[in-house]
Amino acid sequence: MASHQNQDLSHNAGELTGQAQVKKDEFLNQASNASQSIQNKASNASQSTQNKASNASHTAQDIKDQATHLLQQTSEQVKNMAQGAAEAVKSTLGMNNPNDPNSNPSNANMNPSINPINPINPSNPSINTNNPRI
């Protein structure tokens, strides 16, 4: 009878060992699946973040390019306005550019009594800074 009990115990121990092995394998499979799922989610999140960062970088570059273009246009407009103003002043003072085909060098000094650099000429008696009529 003792040998029959030993066989039963040995059989039960074998069954328990087999069941424990099945449970262990199930647990390892679940852990492996959970780990793979977490890795996939992390990879997807990383890729999404990289895409968003790349999109933000492209947007920033586009804004920078637009700002650069706007500044270049504004700079050109200011330069043209300054040149126009300088030409108007020169024309008003009779200092036209000799390279300008529309300028007349003979008109460069129409009033010799007025120095274009110092328009108040003390040698000109018609301009008297002490005259109360002025």
Side-chain angles (χ1 to χ4, degrees):
M1 190 158 224
S3 92
H4 184 58
Q5 283 180 339
N6 283 340
Q7 283 180 346
D8 284 343
L9 284 174
S10 188
H11 178 70
N12 286 343
E15 279 185 25
L16 288 174
T17 302
Q19 289 175 356
Q21 183 66 37
V22 168
K23 289 290 183 183
K24 179 184 110 179
D25 290 344
E26 287 176 0
F27 177 74
L28 289 176
N29 283 338
Q30 287 176 349
S32 176
N33 289 342
S35 173
Q36 187 63 40
S37 175
I38 289 170
Q39 286 177 347
N40 289 342
K41 288 179 182 179
S43 176
N44 290 342
S46 174
Q47 186 64 40
S48 175
T49 301
Q50 287 175 351
N51 289 343
K52 288 178 182 177
S54 177
N55 289 342
S57 175
H58 289 303
T59 300
Q61 184 63 41
D62 289 345
I63 290 170
K64 178 184 171 192
D65 291 344
Q66 290 173 1
T68 299
H69 182 69
L70 179 64
L71 287 173
Q72 287 172 342
Q73 284 181 327
T74 303
S75 173
E76 191 66 29
Q77 289 174 347
V78 168
K79 176 184 165 189
N80 291 337
M81 287 172 35
Q83 286 176 340
E87 290 301 319
V89 168
K90 286 180 183 179
S91 178
T92 300
L93 295 175
M95 300 171 52
N96 293 335
N97 184 352
N99 295 331
D100 185 0
N102 296 326
S103 71
N104 185 355
S106 64
N107 292 337
N109 209 357
M110 290 178 59
N111 187 350
S113 65
I114 298 179
N115 181 346
I117 295 173
N118 185 7
I120 299 176
N121 186 350
S123 66
N124 186 347
S126 66
I127 301 176
N128 184 354
T129 56
N130 295 326
N131 189 343
R133 291 182 289 160
I134 295 181

